Amino acid sequence: MMKRNLRFAIFTVSMVALMVTMTFLPASAQLSQWRSLNPTRDGIVGPPSRVAPAPYLYGVQMLTSSYGWAVGGTCDIFTNAGTCPGSGFALFWDGARWRQILVPATAGTLTSVFIVGANDVWAVGMQDTTGKATIIHWDGISWAAATVPVGITDLFSVFILPGGMDGWAVGRVTGAGTNILRWSGMWPTGAWSAFSTPLSTRDLRGVFLISPTEGWAVGTTTPVPPATIFHWDGAGWIDATISSPTTNNLYSVFAVSPTDAWAVGASASASPYQSTIIRWNGASWTGPMVAPTSNIDYHSIHMISGTDGWIAGGVDPTTGEGLLLHWNGVAWAPVRSLVTVGLNDVFMLPGGSDGLAVGDAETIVRWNGSKWFAQTSPTDIRLNAVSMVATNDGWAVGDNGTIFNYDGISWAHYETLPSGVNLNGLNMRATNDGWAVGDSPPPLTSPSGGFPPVILRWNGAAWTPVTPSGVALGQKLYAVDIVSATESWAVGNGTITAGAAMLKWDGTLWTSVPSGTPAGTSLYGINMLSSTDGWAVGCTDPTSGCQSSIIVRWNGLAWSAVTPPSGIHGLRDIFMLSPTNGWAVGYASAAGGQATIIHWDGSQWTSVPGPTVGGVVGVVYSVLNSVHMTSPTDGWAVGNDTTSPGKSLIVHWDGLTWNVVATLPLPPSMAVSLNSVFMVASLDGWIVSDQGLILHYGPESVPGTTTSITTVIQTTTSTGSLSTTTSSSSATTSTSTTTSIPPSPVPGFPIESILAGLVGGIATLAVLRRRRKFRS
């Protein structure tokens, strides 16, 4: 009996010690999870008319640096307004991360948000599921739909005067309705009512009030210029449209004072189209001003003062970045946004040292007083490869020659190649040494014509092209691996007369080396253990669905084929831990079969069970595109499962089996191809994918690159405490508790769950012990 008591006492003390130890473990030692940098975006594409994927963000506003809202939806309001109601969503900023907050299920795409106070927020948008415009209100606990007058289908802007008892919303008229609504009273007893306008047939896009007796509303042209401008004098909206045949659509207006106001939009003048900026001087609207850009729509303007302001707009074709212009009191000048998507709204806190801009592909960028940095993914462009030097230093490359850099806080657009060719492979050896490879500049005239494929070198200061003279003309390079400063290797596709491209860097030149593959073969992955031991994988029939795999090995003198396991299809990537331990992944062998995973044990490659995936044989296969191992018992592979409707694929090796990772907060509905995975450490990794989606594995990032749990709904109770609601899918209703829940001390995995499990285990053991004692 005494021995049992002693053993139980030792066990109890050990468990308590373990609990205390785990409580004080640093974040880097805690369990981690994969998170999208975007709160809701999961790779579902938007309307065919736009290249940028949904969802779109159209409105943003901040009350303080730690309280803000952003709203948007799935409808493209610039090219499909009135034809795609879509569905709306709202994101809340708590000073550390963006979180999705459920809105009424009927809400259409939300286009504008206005914060009166923490418990008094309005958002408006496109037609809801009943065919009327969307108006919703946040009371500090939940979003609720407001009654909307008949005759208005879409709303584009809302403005509420201080006190919350007087406000306006503007939009599109239907039939005998109106394009202006007025709010009177306090929520929930107040009401929205239709207000007559002299030109109710035109769409109004922006509204701004200085006082109850001074304000402006601007809009589009129907059917020809000029654009619409209304002035509010306290009694009615007066037509103040200027006679400017070049002013087409005005999207935003901002008034600094009764004698100083601005409006921006698009121009209807002959090519080259001029972006529109006009200014009110107290007596008349002047302009359009000479804009610093052309052929770019200006979507939003926010003035901090008469000498300080910002404009946000579409993608600048010169820089490839979403447009941001800054006013210094004399002229408007571009400022880099470091994101490659159009920006739809900009908001600055008083003083101008803190602000936000939002845009397509759920993009959010923040101004810190000196630069803009992304709080979500900076792009909607397909990303093909990622390679990290350290936790705070990494690179990603993608289509159209785009290159992105990670500085430990956020991902930022670094540059776009003048040729615009796709970059497919990347490997970084050090902060001042890296290679990127890609396609050949057009035209691709295989087998003997064309240009060499793009090869770029990073020297710590710039990416510079290094041309492989006379080799691989018209071909593509898919992967690159660095052995040392004087030795690197790159692989690519073959031609009808030659095997897969194999290039070697000797510290001075890239030269072609026989790859030991048949004609027409493509090699997609390469991993070098040393100058005398390396591997490359691919398929011999890339134009026929990659149904046949190829593996070649370097022995220091030549590349030679190694027999792959029977029954597997093409391979996409390889990672070697040692000469006796390596992994390769690739295409599924059949529809409803397993994605290919094979293992090298030092003597042969053998198939290892992988995830069961779908696809149509001979047409499209599910595939694992990339693999990265941190140890013999820890590794990751990523790709996509093409089973309709398709989903992203992440699998993890625990030393025994490969298991599909589909746990929250990774969105279960994520339906985008994951193209590359790179692990800095066992609890720190990155995945890049189609449509620019970026996932991070690890404890909570520092504020700046915020990560969000897409299924956790944060609300605010009447007492200001936080509560959460969890939904496993796109639920339209929810229940909330009023218990105050502090932030988890271990973002990425709730330490409370671990501790609760341990305490429960101890309690169970105690009960069992008492039962045994009672029976004896």
Side-chain angles (χ1 to χ4, degrees):
M1 179 68 67
M2 292 182 61
K3 289 184 178 179
R4 284 200 300 270
N5 288 340
L6 179 61
R7 286 197 297 269
F8 182 77
I10 293 173
F11 175 80
T12 302
V13 171
S14 300
M15 289 297 98
V16 172
L18 177 60
M19 290 163 57
V20 173
T21 301
M22 292 182 67
T23 302
F24 291 99
L25 278 175
S28 60
Q30 302 287 0
L31 296 178
S32 302
Q33 289 179 329
W34 288 105
R35 288 183 172 86
S36 168
L37 296 190
N38 299 76
T40 68
R41 182 173 155 208
D42 61 3
I44 298 175
V45 298
S49 63
R50 293 289 289 277
V51 175
Y56 310 100
L57 285 172
Y58 293 117
V60 64
Q61 197 174 77
M62 302 169 72
L63 183 64
T64 66
S65 61
S66 59
Y67 185 97
W69 289 92
V71 299
T74 57
C75 173
D76 177 2
I77 69 171
F78 291 105
T79 60
N80 291 296
T83 61
C84 61
S87 59
F89 68 99
L91 305 179
F92 175 68
W93 171 252
D94 62 5
R97 71 173 77 181
W98 288 96
R99 302 172 186 263
Q100 183 183 12
I101 309 299
L102 289 182
V103 299
T106 58
T109 293
L110 297 173
T111 56
S112 178
V113 62
F114 195 95
I115 303 173
V116 182
N119 300 326
D120 190 4
V121 183
W122 289 95
V124 301
M126 310 294 282
Q127 59 181 288
D128 61 17
T129 56
T130 68
K132 295 189 296 183
T134 298
I135 303 180
I136 59 176
H137 181 266
W138 171 260
D139 61 3
I141 297 176
S142 63
W143 286 98
T147 302
V148 181
V150 176
I152 187 165
T153 58
D154 299 316
L155 289 169
F156 297 109
S157 182
V158 61
F159 192 101
I160 308 295
L161 287 161
M165 298 186 66
D166 187 11
W168 300 89
V170 300
R172 173 180 291 112
V173 66
T174 299
T178 179
N179 53 6
I180 295 184
L181 302 180
R182 187 172 192 178
W183 168 254
S184 299
M186 292 293 292
W187 177 268
T189 58
W192 287 93
S193 58
F195 199 93
S196 62
T197 57
L199 292 174
S200 60
T201 59
R202 297 196 174 186
D203 293 349
L204 294 177
R205 291 288 188 141
V207 61
F208 192 96
L209 276 294
I210 302 172
S211 70
T213 60
E214 181 72 28
W216 296 95
V218 298
T220 61
T221 176
T222 303
V224 294
T228 302
I229 304 175
F230 288 158
H231 181 236
W232 172 252
D233 63 1
W237 289 95
I238 303 168
D239 183 8
T241 300
I242 61 174
S243 59
S244 171
T246 62
T247 302
N248 188 8
N249 297 320
L250 291 175
Y251 294 123
S252 178
V253 61
F254 195 102
V256 179
S257 70
T259 60
D260 189 12
W262 298 78
V264 298
S267 170
S269 62
S271 181
Y273 297 102
Q274 296 299 313
S275 310
T276 293
I277 305 173
I278 60 176
R279 190 176 190 180
W280 170 256
N281 61 15
S284 63
W285 286 94
T286 61
M289 298 176 62
V290 177
T293 64
S294 61
N295 200 25
I296 303 174
D297 288 357
Y298 293 165
H299 295 150
S300 175
I301 184 169
H302 189 107
M303 302 301 297
I304 301 146
S305 68
T307 58
D308 189 7
W310 291 90
I311 290 174
V315 175
D316 186 333
T318 302
T319 64
E321 295 183 357
L323 183 76
L324 283 168
L325 301 178
H326 183 244
W327 173 253
N328 62 7
V330 178
W332 290 95
V335 176
R336 291 196 67 181
S337 66
L338 302 175
V339 297
T340 63
V341 299
L343 297 172
N344 301 320
D345 194 25
V346 61
F347 181 88
M348 307 299 295
L349 285 171
S353 62
D354 192 0
L356 291 166
V358 298
D360 295 343
E362 201 183 55
T363 298
I364 304 173
V365 292
R366 188 163 189 178
W367 174 252
N368 64 6
S370 60
K371 66 175 289 187
W372 292 91
F373 61 90
Q375 293 189 300
T376 57
S377 172
T379 188
D380 63 332
I381 295 170
R382 173 189 170 102
L383 297 175
N384 298 314
V386 59
S387 184
M388 306 294 294
V389 178
T391 299
N392 61 352
D393 185 8
W395 296 87
V397 297
D399 284 1
N400 306 328
T402 50
I403 302 174
F404 299 87
N405 177 237
Y406 182 68
D407 61 3
I409 297 177
S410 67
W411 285 94
H413 178 231
Y414 186 82
E415 69 173 297
T416 299
L417 299 185
S419 62
V421 299
N422 297 341
L423 293 172
N424 307 313
L426 174 70
N427 190 234
M428 304 300 298
R429 187 181 70 89
T431 58
N432 60 353
D433 189 11
W435 291 98
V437 298
D439 294 355
S440 299
L444 302 180
T445 52
S446 300
S448 58
F451 299 96
V454 169
I455 301 178
L456 304 175
R457 187 173 194 182
W458 173 253
N459 60 9
W463 287 95
T464 56
V466 180
T467 303
S469 178
V471 297
L473 296 180
Q475 291 176 265
K476 301 179 180 181
L477 295 175
Y478 296 118
V480 60
D481 197 36
I482 303 172
V483 179
S484 67
T486 59
E487 183 179 352
S488 296
W489 293 83
V491 295
N493 69 320
T495 69
I496 59 175
T497 59
M502 176 70 72
L503 303 180
K504 182 183 180 182
W505 170 256
D506 62 5
T508 304
L509 297 172
W510 282 96
T511 56
S512 181
V513 175
S515 62
T517 62
T521 297
S522 285
L523 292 174
Y524 297 113
I526 183 170
N527 193 215
M528 304 297 298
L529 287 167
S530 67
S531 296
T532 59
D533 191 6
W535 296 84
V537 297
C539 66
T540 59
D541 58 338
T543 60
S544 302
C546 275
Q547 301 183 52
S548 179
S549 62
I550 182 80
I551 304 174
V552 293
R553 187 177 190 180
W554 174 255
N555 61 8
L557 298 175
W559 291 91
S560 57
V562 176
T563 303
S566 61
I568 68 168
H569 282 212
L571 297 167
R572 295 286 302 181
D573 196 23
I574 184 169
F575 192 99
M576 303 300 299
L577 287 160
S578 71
T580 59
N581 192 351
W583 294 90
V585 298
Y587 294 90
S589 58
Q594 292 183 351
T596 295
I597 303 177
I598 61 175
H599 179 253
W600 173 255
D601 62 6
S603 60
Q604 64 178 347
W605 288 94
T606 56
S607 295
V608 176
T612 300
V613 291
V616 181
V617 176
V619 179
V620 61
Y621 292 97
S622 299
V623 63
L624 289 172
N625 290 311
S626 177
V627 60
H628 199 283
M629 310 296 297
T630 61
S631 73
T633 59
D634 184 27
W636 297 89
V638 301
N640 67 298
D641 182 351
T642 59
T643 305
S644 180
K647 60 184 177 181
S648 305
L649 193 60
I650 302 178
V651 293
H652 177 250
W653 172 252
D654 61 8
L656 296 175
T657 58
W658 286 95
N659 301 299
V660 175
V661 175
T663 56
L664 300 176
L666 182 69
S669 61
M670 185 174 287
V672 63
S673 176
L674 305 180
N675 298 326
S676 179
V677 58
F678 191 100
M679 303 302 298
V680 183
S682 59
L683 299 180
D684 185 7
W686 294 92
I687 294 172
V688 298
S689 56
D690 284 2
Q691 299 177 21
L693 204 63
I694 300 176
L695 308 180
H696 183 229
Y697 185 76
E700 192 76 12
S701 301
V702 297
T705 305
T706 56
T707 54
S708 302
I709 300 176
T710 60
T711 55
V712 173
I713 311 305
Q714 174 179 298
T715 62
T716 306
T717 67
S718 58
T719 60
S721 59
L722 297 180
S723 62
T724 59
T725 299
T726 302
S727 166
S728 61
S729 63
S730 56
T732 58
T733 60
S734 62
T735 58
S736 299
T737 64
T738 57
T739 304
S740 177
I741 301 177
S744 170
V746 187
F749 194 90
I751 190 67
E752 297 87 359
S753 299
I754 302 174
L755 297 181
L758 291 174
V759 172
I762 293 173
T764 302
L765 288 174
V767 171
L768 292 175
R769 175 181 175 278
R770 289 178 179 272
R771 288 181 176 178
R772 286 197 299 269
K773 179 179 179 180
F774 176 78
R775 290 175 179 175
S776 62

